[in-house]
Structures are given as structure tokens and as C-alpha cells.
Amino acid sequence: MPKLWNETIEAHRRDVREAILMHTSALVAEHGLRSVTMSQIAEKTGIGRATLYKYFPDVETILLAWHERQIAGHLEHLAQVRDQAGEPAARLRAVLETYAHISRRSRRHGDGALMAFLHRDEQVGHAQRRLHDMVRDLLAEGAGVGVLRADVAPDELATYCLYAVAAARELPSDDAVRRLVMVILDACV
Amino acid sequence: MPKLWNETIEAHRRDVREAILMHTSALVAEHGLRSVTMSQIAEKTGIGRATLYKYFPDVETILLAWHERQIAGHLEHLAQVRDQAGEPAARLRAVLETYAHISRRSRRHGDGALMAFLHRDEQVGHAQRRLHDMVRDLLAEGAGVGVLRADVAPDELATYCLYAVAAARELPSDDAVRRLVMVILDACV
């Protein structure tokens, strides 16, 4: 087959895959993890069941693929926020505030069973370690130039920051999230 | 039956119950939640299976009773720590440090399945609300006398404190826990 034809097929496969992930996450958000079937997903996506099975073996695998893409998107976003101009404390604040909003939004998606299922995934642990390293490096950078505290190791301070930021899940508003991040940073200077 | 006889029976029942809780928690810590049976518990406690069933219907109920007693003990201990002499910031530090040590120790008991099972219990939510209120009241008291920050509502600050303290679970030493609590309190003044 000519190269162009292969590329068209590749692009088509990506589009179908994309559509499957999108419709599955919508169906699961609406009906819950346990009640969504491959037939429903095929119907909603507008493809045959046999075609769907050429892409994914079951609902769980689709959801994990969707979640993996979500996580990768969040990490990329956080890295962009980190790489913006500004001094270390301001960039740390931006990273923590962005992560606080992500935590708060993802809590509102889906039910407890869904969260528990997704968070057994080892991708989550991997992403959390990358986030921890990102925050630790910003803290070390700030301590190095004397704008953030140096009496506690950046690694320990990063653990503190990420646990404290998780409080965003329980906060009622964006303003409360902003206050939370201000409080957390007050402990880092 | 004379009153004395009733009291003796009551004391005996309390002792047996106590022994059942103790041996069950030891068996579960050793073998895991799923593999412990009522027969093992009866044998370890030195009572018959029929007697054991007069006290508890199954292993899960025994474990929940044990956990409930643990939680009640922790709350009582935290209240004692809170009620010691000293100004509000020192008492807040003492409460947070005590809770940090409890979190760290309870993480080291048992496996993930056991934690997940116990933490579905509504007693845990109830205890966490009481702890939240205890910390909130100490923060409000400190803000009232001007030693703790008053620009963020005590309720929000308490949420922050309790999420941040949970970082103790990942810390390697008592010294690290002390540093964590120092950092958290730096954000509350």
C-alpha cells in the first residue's frame, strides 16, 4: 500500500480509538462502571461490536486507556505551568493551584467504585511520583536561591505539599482552593 | 440471681469479648483478613465455636468492634492531649503530632485490603468529623487570642491541617513527623 494510504488508515484508527474512549467515559460517568457493556459502547460510538473488539478486549481496558490519557494530559499541563516565567515560589504556587483544581474536578467525576478501580492502576502511582519530583525540584530551586525554606529537606516538604493540596477535594469553591494554596505556601517560605 | 452474681457474669463476658477482639486483631495482622476463620479465633481465644457465635456472628463484625474500640481510644487520647495545660498553638501542635503518630502506626498494621475494609466503616467518618471539630476549635481559640491566623476560616484551616498531617503515613521517622507538624503549624500562625 502507498504511504499516504497507511497514514489515512492510521489517522482513522486514532479517530475511532478517540471516539471509543470519549463515549466510554461518558457512559461510565452516566451509568456507573458496573453497568456499562461493550454493546452499549459500540452503539454509542457508531461502530459494530466486532470492530470495537478489534480495538479493546473489555470495558475496563478502555477505561484504563482513557484514564492514562487523562493523567498524561494533566502531567503535561502541570509541566507547562511549571515552565512559565517567574521565580520559584510563584511557579510552585501555580503548580500546586493547578493540581488542586485537578484533584477537585476529578473528585466530582464518577463514583467511589470508579475512583477505586482507576486508582489501583499503576499509572497513578507513576504519575504521583513524577508530580512529587516536580514539586520537590521547585522547592529545592527556591531553597537554593533563598526564597523558600531550607531547614526541611525538599523531599519531605514535597510530601507535605501534595498531601495538603489533596484537601482541595473537600473545599467548596475556587476561592477556598486559592486560600488553601496560600496557606500551604506560607509553610514553605 | 443476686446482684453480685450478675456483676461477675458481666465482668466475665467483658473479659471474653476483650480476648476475642485481641486474638482476632492479632490473627488478621498475621494472616490477612481473608484467611482468618471463626474456628481459628475460637481456638486461639480458648473457647468453643458455639460460645464464640454467642458473642459475634462473623469475623468482619469482630474486626469492626475491635476497630471501633481502637478509634474510641484514639479520640479519648487526643482529647486528653488537647486538654493539657498550655496556650492554643502548643495544644494544637500536641494534637496534630499525636494524630500524625497514630496515622503512621495504623498504616503499618495490616495490609491494604484490611485498611480498605475498616475504612468503609461509618465509625471512621464519625471519628474524623470529631477530630476535625477538635482541631477547628483549637484554631478558632488561637485566632481569638491572636496567636494563630484569622484570615482563613478555622473550618478550612482544620481541613488543611488534617490532610497535611496524613503525610505522616509516608514519613520514615519520628523526627520527620516532628518536622512535618512544625511545617504545618508555620502555616497556621
Side-chain angles (χ1 to χ4, degrees):
Chain A
M1 279 185 282
K3 189 159 171 286
L4 193 65
W5 179 238
N6 273 334
E7 274 168 12
T8 310
I9 290 184
E10 256 319 299
H12 172 72
R13 282 188 63 87
R14 264 201 311 277
D15 289 350
V16 173
R17 198 183 135 89
E18 183 61 31
I20 294 168
L21 297 185
M22 193 185 70
H23 289 299
T24 305
S25 95
L27 278 168
V28 168
E30 196 180 341
H31 303 293
L33 175 60
R34 294 287 156 229
S35 69
V36 174
T37 64
M38 291 294 271
S39 300
Q40 284 175 304
I41 293 166
E43 192 191 331
K44 196 90 172 180
T45 311
I47 56 178
R49 255 171 59 95
T51 307
L52 177 57
Y53 278 104
K54 281 186 195 147
Y55 285 83
F56 293 104
D58 49 41
V59 180
E60 281 74 15
T61 306
I62 305 178
L63 262 182
L64 288 177
W66 168 80
H67 194 231
E68 198 164 311
R69 219 198 32 186
Q70 293 286 104
I71 290 175
H74 291 328
L75 277 175
E76 202 177 313
H77 183 196
L78 285 162
Q80 282 164 4
V81 166
R82 174 198 61 194
D83 295 338
Q84 69 194 7
E87 46 91 34
R91 288 157 62 211
L92 178 62
R93 178 171 53 243
V95 165
L96 292 181
E97 204 163 305
T98 303
Y99 181 60
H101 286 298
I102 291 170
S103 302
R104 200 161 154 260
R105 270 200 310 272
S106 67
R107 175 214 50 173
R108 286 181 301 186
H109 293 317
D111 47 38
L114 177 60
M115 285 289 276
F117 167 72
L118 291 175
H119 285 232
R120 272 197 320 233
D121 184 13
E122 65 179 18
Q123 285 299 320
V124 174
H126 179 70
Q128 271 163 351
R129 275 190 300 280
R130 279 187 56 191
L131 178 58
H132 177 96
D133 293 350
M134 189 187 287
V135 169
R136 181 200 59 202
D137 292 349
L138 283 168
L139 286 162
E141 193 186 337
V145 296
V147 297
L148 295 176
R149 76 190 299 162
D151 62 334
V152 176
D155 204 55
E156 275 182 31
L157 265 188
T159 302
Y160 152 77
C161 285
L162 292 178
Y163 270 86
V165 159
R169 287 184 213 140
E170 298 206 9
L171 295 179
S173 68
D174 285 356
D175 273 349
V177 169
R178 232 180 334 268
R179 285 191 293 273
L180 171 69
V181 173
M182 170 185 77
V183 165
I184 294 170
L185 281 172
D186 282 349
C188 295
V189 293
Chain B
M1 280 184 283
K3 187 158 172 285
L4 193 65
W5 179 240
N6 274 333
E7 274 169 11
T8 308
I9 289 184
E10 255 318 300
H12 173 72
R13 284 188 61 88
R14 265 202 309 277
D15 289 348
V16 173
R17 198 183 134 89
E18 182 61 32
I20 293 169
L21 298 184
M22 194 185 70
H23 289 298
T24 304
S25 94
L27 280 168
V28 168
E30 197 182 339
H31 303 293
L33 176 60
R34 294 286 156 230
S35 68
V36 175
T37 63
M38 291 294 270
S39 300
Q40 285 176 304
I41 294 167
E43 193 191 329
K44 196 91 172 179
T45 311
I47 55 177
R49 258 172 57 96
T51 307
L52 178 56
Y53 278 104
K54 280 186 194 146
Y55 285 82
F56 293 103
D58 49 41
V59 180
E60 282 73 16
T61 306
I62 305 177
L63 263 182
L64 288 177
W66 168 80
H67 194 231
E68 197 164 310
R69 218 199 33 186
Q70 293 287 105
I71 291 176
H74 291 327
L75 278 175
E76 202 176 311
H77 182 196
L78 286 162
Q80 282 165 3
V81 166
R82 174 198 61 194
D83 294 339
Q84 68 194 7
E87 46 90 34
R91 288 157 63 212
L92 178 62
R93 177 171 56 241
V95 166
L96 292 181
E97 204 163 305
T98 303
Y99 181 59
H101 287 297
I102 292 170
S103 302
R104 198 159 155 263
R105 270 200 310 273
S106 69
R107 173 215 52 173
R108 285 181 303 185
H109 293 318
D111 48 38
L114 176 60
M115 285 290 276
F117 167 72
L118 291 174
H119 286 232
R120 273 196 320 234
D121 183 14
E122 65 180 18
Q123 284 299 320
V124 174
H126 178 70
Q128 272 164 350
R129 276 191 299 280
R130 278 188 57 194
L131 178 58
H132 177 96
D133 293 350
M134 189 186 287
V135 169
R136 181 200 60 201
D137 292 348
L138 282 169
L139 286 161
E141 193 186 338
V145 296
V147 297
L148 295 176
R149 74 190 302 160
D151 62 335
V152 175
D155 204 54
E156 276 181 30
L157 265 189
T159 302
Y160 152 78
C161 286
L162 292 177
Y163 269 86
V165 159
R169 286 183 214 142
E170 299 206 9
L171 295 179
S173 67
D174 286 356
D175 274 348
V177 168
R178 230 177 339 265
R179 286 191 293 272
L180 171 69
V181 174
M182 169 185 78
V183 165
I184 294 170
L185 281 173
D186 283 348
C188 295
V189 293

